[in-house]
Amino acid sequence: MALLFLIIGGGAKFARENLYILAGAGAGFAFLDRLGMREFLLGGMALLLGAIVTAMIHHRRFRFRIEGDAIRVRRGLFEKKDLRVRFARVQNVSLSQPVYFRPFGLVRFSIETPGAESTEVELPGISQALALALRDHIARYAGQMADQGESQADHAASPDAALEVAVAGQVLHRPSTGRIFAHGLVSNQVWLIAGVAAWLSGTLWERMEDWLESVGVSQVVQAILALGWAGAAALVVGLTMALFALSGLLSLIRFHGFVLHDHGDRVLAVSGLLDRREQTIRREKLTGLTLYQTALGRLIGQWYLIGKQATSKEIEVDTRGQRFLVPGMRRRDLGLAGDLMPGVNLPEDLRPISRRFRTLFWTRTSVLVLTACGLAWWWLPDLRLAIAGVLAVLLLILWLIHLSWRRWGWQVVDGVCWVRQGLIGQRLDGFELSAVQQATLVRTPYFRRHGLASVRLVLPHGQVQVPFLTLEDASALINRAVYAAETARRHRV
Amino acid sequence: MEQAEIFSNRQVATAELPDFRRVALTPVAPAYLPWALVTQTAFWLILAVVALIVPRLPFLPFDLSGWERSWVLPLAPLLVAIIGAVYARLDARTRAWALREHDLVYRYGVLWRKTVIVPFARIQHVEAVHGPLERYLGLMRVKCFTAGGMTADLTVKGLDRSDARRVRQYLLEQIAASAEAEAGEEGGTVGEAGPDR
């Protein structure tokens, strides 16, 4: 049975990885008259056969074993891989159950460690009971040094219960469906969808036009065009609304029934409609968290939270929702930060950065633009209207600089450093100073003239920068961070 | 988390913390300047020579239409080489390092002057590298790797070879010591310290 799913999964993966080739081939098949239906079917059959054979070999080769405090996986098609991961190194266990796994009680089980670029160990299609048992087994080993007595009771989740029952624990956060929909509305994925849609429409437009002509729908288009500005505006509004609705729906599908549970030394998030996903994250391996509020989210007071863990990735990318995201938070839910990282309190107020941030960027931008405009005014009298437009844009930029300056803020509360940045939206990074890996003081000639400095702190999950502090504040922050790192009990990630 | 508890319990006066600015930094070895000069200007000098020679070849691989007799062509890379040399001179003057009891301090940069502090407890591993030119000049680089991606690695350039060896040895000893301390503490805290919930 697992074999069947491996074929489906393998097919899906193959399709994802070779999307461009497939799309090209599909387009070729669809639009080239030379290839008939028979060739198309033959090609499809060959691909399917290849996928089945690959999946069968993959299935035959795939073996895993639990060796006390470690898991060993052997796999590989052409190149055999033998991998052994110690449970103590595991920072993230996630179970996911796509909709086609559900009737057979199978789940996909994956483990992440800090060193790996992507998921280290993935067991596609093991039984749910085994997965849950394995999860608790890992939690027991991993949490051994943290505590033993207290959380043992929590661990005693019965392995044969359903996914929903097995995660019983104190509920930390359960956003309403409306909130999850709102998360989709305000999240930046709207722009991503818009970009993809624009790209698709760009490439498909010519084809569409031909098609429209042939079908005779062009009368409809002409009718819309005849409406003039009102019609165009309605079209734009309609498209925008459709875009937002789509984004909201996607969010609903992904985060359907999101619940965050507390299990002592670990927290557990369950969500998803089509692909039921359960993420277990160890509190100890949480090196920081970030609270986000997008520009639109500010309008309706919507936040979301991302738990940060050590990574070797250079750029933060959302690889199939692997990161630990808590959607649909309101202002009063922000205390969740303290629930995730005990002893962490949100700062009541943040300290601003130096006024010179605004002064510097205001003066430099203005001088640059005004000089250019003055020259243009002198040399190109025809374009004076455009120059006036540029000056208006300059005002807007100056305002944005002011907003950015207002948004910057930092504070240290109980050894936890908070840094806020943003323009209209905002993000608030919180991390323990003791997690700092490296501290850098940066001074440009301008900073040296005005007694300022920037601080750059390298954390296991990436860098955080605080610009335009006074030299005293910057040095004090670095001294504190370095002191905290050197006296911390936990040494390496 | 345990760290938070430590810090909320033990109030630390910020002014009393050891200040990294009071550390006396050691300038890099004098041999660093020639190394930086060579590595930074060699490429552009070669490019300038190529630009000088190519138009004078009897056979031209491509059409230069009017640039043959021009002296402008080699000037651009030459200019870059000169700027690079000036930069290397200034850079060599500011580059300095120091070891403290628990961390490594390294300062570099001409316009953006950076002071980096890496606690030993955070170093994952250390690497000492020297290329052929560095071997000739008796130099060595020490690379310190920390968690947090590739940008989190610090390369201490321009150390004397003997210095570099000593630094590396010291780093390794400190790392081992901190790892031992960690193991010891972990063993001792199994029973008493648990998370809040």
Side-chain angles (χ1 to χ4, degrees), chain A residues 407-425:
Chain A
R407 211 50 78 215
W408 275 106
W410 68 285
Q411 186 63 279
V412 181
V413 189
D414 297 339
V416 178
C417 184
W418 294 93
V419 179
R420 183 183 65 191
Q421 55 184 297
L423 207 59
I424 300 170

Side-chain angles (χ1 to χ4, degrees), chain B residues 49-62:
Chain B
V49 170
V50 168
L52 196 67
I53 290 171
V54 166
R56 279 160 189 74
L57 290 176
F59 52 91
L60 278 178
F62 39 84

